[in-house]
Every structure is written in C-alpha cells, then in structure tokens.
Amino acid sequence: MISTKVKESLGPLFPILNNIRLVWLRFKLRGNKVYCACCKSTFKEFAPFGNDRRQNAWCPKCESLERHRLLWMYFEKKTNIYTANLKLLHIAPETVFFHKFKKQKNIDYYPVDIFPHLYPKGTTYLDILDHEIPDNSFDVIICNHVFQYIEDDRTAMTNILKLMKPGGWGIMQVPINTKATETFEDNSITDPLERERVFGLKEHVRYYSYDYADKLRSIGFDVTVDDFTAEFTDEEIFKYGFFKGDAVYFVRKPL
C-alpha cells in the first residue's frame, strides 16, 4: 500500500511502477510458509510495512494488511457474508474488500466515502454526518478505521445505527491504544506533528482505547468484542499474517 501523496506525485507512472514492484516482491518472497486469506496466495513471508517496518505484514499479491486478512477470515468463519442475500454499505471501502464484494452475486454493494476519488472506481459520495438515505436500509455496514478522523464521531455512529436494519450487523474497527484504558481526545491539539505523535496520524482527532466498545453500546449497538486471534496458535498467526490481539468489533442493531 502506498500513500496518496506518493500516488499523486507519480501520476500516470504510478500503476506501472507499482506493478513492477509487486512482481519483484512476489518473486523475492515466493514460497509457502504464509497464506493470504484474501487472495489465497502463498509466500515465504509477507512483506514489511509501515513507518515501523512491521514484519510479515503486507501481501504482495492483493496488498492486504494484517487487519484485512483477519477480517476476511472472520467474514468467512463467523458471518453470513456468503450465504445470505445482503444489502451492504461499505464506508471508506478497502480496495481488497471492494473487489471481492463487487464479485459476489449475493451482495447488493454500496461502497461510499466523503472523498470517493481516493477509493476504487465505483465508490460514490456519502457524508455519514449529513445524508438523505432512509433509515433501516442495510443488512450489513462495514466502517473500518473511520471514526478516528471524525470530530463528531457520536453522530456518525448514531447515523450508522439508523441506516442498519433491525437485526443487521456490522464491523466497526478503529485503532486501539492498548497502553491506555480510556479514549484520549483534545481539540486544542492542532499542530500536525503533535497530532501524529499523540494520535498516531496527523489527520486523526482521537486515539481510542478499550472504552470504545462502551461508546458503541451507548449509541444503541449490541457489541461483541471478539479476540478472534486467540483462536489461533502462534504458528497460525504467523502463517496467516495476523496481528496478535487485534480484536474484531462486531455490532448488531437490536430487533
């Protein structure tokens, strides 16, 4: 995965250079010690990723990260993503999920974002804070790593609950600060470098912690915090390229 700034600076050269890089990485990492749940590819290991160069993180075939592979396996093992006819709203659609959902005949797929040009072609505009979509419209809503960008996250969560059909479900991931017990936010922090230091990225406005689930519950969701990685051995966590302890926030709208 490459930053938007790098993509924009390279312009039309980016797809060509990126494809060359991916082909080289696939050759360099060929093997069968790790398995990508998203694209079903195998390698000797996944490529490093991020400013901290996390090892065994990035798939050179479909460009998935740890959280994408974890969620896709969660979808397959613990949801009706393959077995039911679903109307699915996907906010800030991850590329690897976008292409998989678009192919599934059982899914009526709505990929949306406030900046649709930053996402795969076919993503449409939606401001989750201000829209005219009727309540109770979707069986499934996926909203991953979005709320930390939104100052009024409570309204965003409330609107998502309204859009979900009674009995519908969703996945609502955010970065969790495991070194704290309470979410931290401070609107007086406006300097980009200080925001990056405190919140993880300069665009973030808060750093959630374990009380995140309680916030979702206060909105009205039924919340299951599923430590899905605990169901795997350390060897399997390496094989699938998961981040150990990365919990899945599975929500339902009460009937």
Side-chain angles (χ1 to χ4, degrees), residues 36-39 62-65 68-69 72 90 93-102 109 120:
C36 178
C38 294
C39 66
C62 68
E63 302 187 68
S64 65
L65 294 172
H68 304 130
R69 294 186 292 273
W72 195 260
H90 192 180
E94 298 94 333
T95 299
V96 63
F97 294 162
F98 177 98
H99 293 300
K100 293 177 78 66
F101 290 143
K102 287 284 283 188
Y109 184 49

Side-chain angles (χ1 to χ4, degrees), residues 21-41:
R21 181 178 67 131
L22 289 173
V23 169
W24 177 78
L25 279 173
R26 290 168 197 163
F27 175 78
K28 178 184 177 182
L29 298 175
R30 64 193 185 280
N32 59 5
K33 291 186 177 181
V34 300
Y35 170 81
C36 178
C38 294
C39 66
K40 317 303 181 188
S41 299

Side-chain angles (χ1 to χ4, degrees), residues 4-252:
T4 301
K5 287 185 178 180
V6 171
K7 293 179 182 179
E8 291 177 347
S9 66
L10 291 173
L13 286 177
F14 171 75
I16 298 172
L17 296 176
N18 191 51
N19 284 337
I20 292 172
R21 181 178 67 131
L22 289 173
V23 169
W24 177 78
L25 279 173
R26 290 168 197 163
F27 175 78
K28 178 184 177 182
L29 298 175
R30 64 193 185 280
N32 59 5
K33 291 186 177 181
V34 300
Y35 170 81
C36 178
C38 294
C39 66
K40 317 303 181 188
S41 299
T42 62
F43 301 96
K44 69 177 182 180
E45 63 181 350
F46 295 111
F49 184 83
N51 294 335
D52 56 354
R53 304 301 291 168
R54 299 192 311 276
Q55 298 299 302
N56 204 43
W58 186 66
C59 176
K61 175 67 174 179
C62 68
E63 302 187 68
S64 65
L65 294 172
E66 303 99 325
R67 63 179 183 266
H68 304 130
R69 294 186 292 273
L70 179 72
L71 284 180
W72 195 260
M73 192 171 286
Y74 188 89
F75 289 146
E76 292 183 325
K77 289 181 175 291
K78 295 198 172 187
T79 76
N80 59 354
I81 205 75
Y82 286 131
T83 59
N85 291 322
L86 302 171
K87 188 175 181 181
L88 190 158
L89 181 70
H90 192 180
I91 302 168
E94 298 94 333
T95 299
V96 63
F97 294 162
F98 177 98
H99 293 300
K100 293 177 78 66
F101 290 143
K102 287 284 283 188
K103 292 178 182 178
Q104 288 186 223
K105 294 182 178 179
N106 66 307
I107 292 179
D108 186 10
Y109 184 49
Y110 293 81
V112 300
D113 194 76
I114 196 170
F115 301 114
H117 64 284
L118 299 179
Y119 293 90
K121 186 177 180 181
T123 302
T124 59
Y125 176 85
L126 178 73
D127 182 353
I128 197 61
L129 297 175
D130 183 18
H131 64 82
E132 297 180 354
I133 299 176
D135 293 350
N136 306 316
S137 288
F138 296 95
D139 302 289
V140 179
I141 300 180
I142 297 173
C143 182
N144 296 328
H145 289 247
V146 172
F147 296 138
Q148 69 269 21
Y149 293 93
I150 302 175
E151 290 189 7
D152 188 3
D153 62 339
R154 180 169 287 275
T155 295
M157 295 173 185
T158 300
N159 287 350
I160 288 173
L161 181 66
K162 290 178 179 178
L163 287 172
M164 192 178 290
K165 294 179 182 179
W169 62 270
I171 302 290
M172 309 287 169
Q173 303 296 96
V174 295
I176 298 292
N177 183 0
T178 58
K179 298 179 181 179
T181 57
E182 294 183 349
T183 297
F184 177 74
E185 52 188 319
D186 184 347
N187 293 336
S188 70
I189 301 175
T190 57
D191 178 73
L193 291 179
E194 183 64 8
R195 276 193 172 187
E196 185 170 8
R197 185 187 72 81
V198 174
F199 301 131
L201 281 178
K202 62 184 180 181
E203 297 87 359
H204 291 184
V205 297
R206 70 182 58 81
Y207 205 164
Y208 292 98
S209 191
Y210 296 111
D211 58 344
Y212 170 61
D214 292 330
K215 189 166 194 175
L216 290 171
R217 292 186 182 105
S218 74
I219 298 298
F221 288 106
D222 290 336
V223 182
T224 299
V225 183
D226 192 332
D227 184 8
F228 188 43
T229 64
E231 300 180 19
F232 299 87
T233 65
D234 287 346
E235 290 76 16
E236 288 172 328
I237 285 174
F238 176 83
K239 175 182 177 180
Y240 298 128
F242 296 159
F243 190 82
K244 189 173 183 178
D246 189 10
V248 176
Y249 286 80
F250 179 89
V251 302
R252 279 196 182 277

